Amino acid sequence: ATLGTALTDEQIYLLVRYTHNIYMLYDGDNAGKKAAIRGALLCLSKGLSPHVIELPQGHDPDTFILEHGAEALKARIKSALHIIEYYAQPQSTELGTSERIEQLLDAVRLIKDPISKELLLKDISEAFDIRQSTLNQKLRLTSQKDAPLATPGSHLDTHQEERYLLALALRSEHDYYLLAQELTEDYFYNVSYKKIYKFLVEHDRARELEAPATLLDAIGDAAVRDSLADLLFEDLPSMRFEDTLKQVKIRKVQHDLDELDRMIEKNPQDMEFLKQKEALVREYRSMTKKVVNKILH
């Protein structure tokens, strides 16, 4: 229950730990409908699957149960429509069709996973009987218009393993400490993820993992704060923190070997570089051998 206040990112973050299926149940008056729609659109933008439960005008959840019983409310929950289906109904709001589609696209635009985004565009296309190509074009045009200028190494679609590693560490105190102990900022090549890592480990923030609003409030850099908020809501594929950590470590050794090869090419007589490469090759073989053995056994 939001206890009379608007649904917040922190509340959604807590819900994500238990389910991706969200049911919005507010009062049956216009204010309640608007609050349900607002909350559902926010959940949709985080990659969740929100549904809207409708109550008759003049009823709130308490009065509805008292008058009609718990089974009647369960039936309403069972028949609740996904926000896209619900918003496709003209009677859902006083807004026109174009405005409702715009609001749905605003939410879809914030979703990181391209497959989820494409599937939602298909649902909007079918619900509103409008061509998906038209929706894609609209989404691309508005995304290009609103997109900030990129800086070298800052694009968040690069170095996905860094993104997954940070997102996993934010979900577990044990993994958070492991991240801080096992890595340094040199393991992160994406500028944004490097900044997030530095923020997370410069102080012990384990307790703040359970209070994401407090964690976000501690960041002065708005771009870093937005990136960290995205990680808190990241819909992760099935993976283990330890495996992702190993992947990042192996990648670092590969990168260091490439750098040493360039140095050796410039200074072929420098025995120190050759010794460093020999040590790194042994380390690399040891790390990859463990990965292969794990796969085989």
Side-chain angles (χ1 to χ4, degrees), residues 9 24 39 45 53 59 67 85-86 106 123 158 160 169 173 186 194 220 229 253 269 271 286 297:
D9 283 354
M24 313 302 300
S45 73
I53 304 166
H59 273 292
E67 185 171 328
E85 297 176 272
Y86 179 80
D106 285 342
D123 291 342
T158 62
Q160 284 286 351
E173 183 176 321
D186 294 334
K194 186 190 288 281
V253 175
Q269 304 304 318
M271 298 304 296
S286 174
H297 302 290

Side-chain angles (χ1 to χ4, degrees), residues 30 40 47 62 106 154 174 177 179 191 193 195 226:
N30 288 335
D62 285 341
D106 285 342
S154 66
H174 173 268
Y177 282 126
L179 176 78
V191 174
Y193 298 144
K195 289 180 179 179
D226 291 343

Side-chain angles (χ1 to χ4, degrees), residues 90-159:
Q91 68 271 23
S92 63
T93 176
E94 69 275 7
L95 297 178
T97 302
S98 295
E99 291 174 286
R100 283 178 278 137
I101 292 175
E102 285 280 0
Q103 288 189 355
L104 288 168
L105 290 179
D106 285 342
V108 171
R109 187 178 295 110
L110 298 174
I111 295 173
K112 303 298 180 185
D113 179 48
I115 296 176
S116 298
K117 185 178 291 189
E118 193 69 21
L119 291 172
L120 287 170
L121 287 175
K122 182 175 181 291
D123 291 342
I124 296 172
S125 170
E126 293 174 352
F128 286 87
D129 193 21
I130 185 172
R131 287 181 300 178
Q132 189 171 345
S133 59
T134 302
L135 296 174
N136 269 308
Q137 183 180 17
K138 176 70 173 176
L139 197 65
R140 282 196 300 270
L141 288 172
T142 52
S143 296
Q144 291 169 2
K145 179 181 176 183
D146 297 335
L149 293 175
T151 56
S154 66
H155 198 275
L156 297 186
D157 287 338
T158 62
H159 305 301

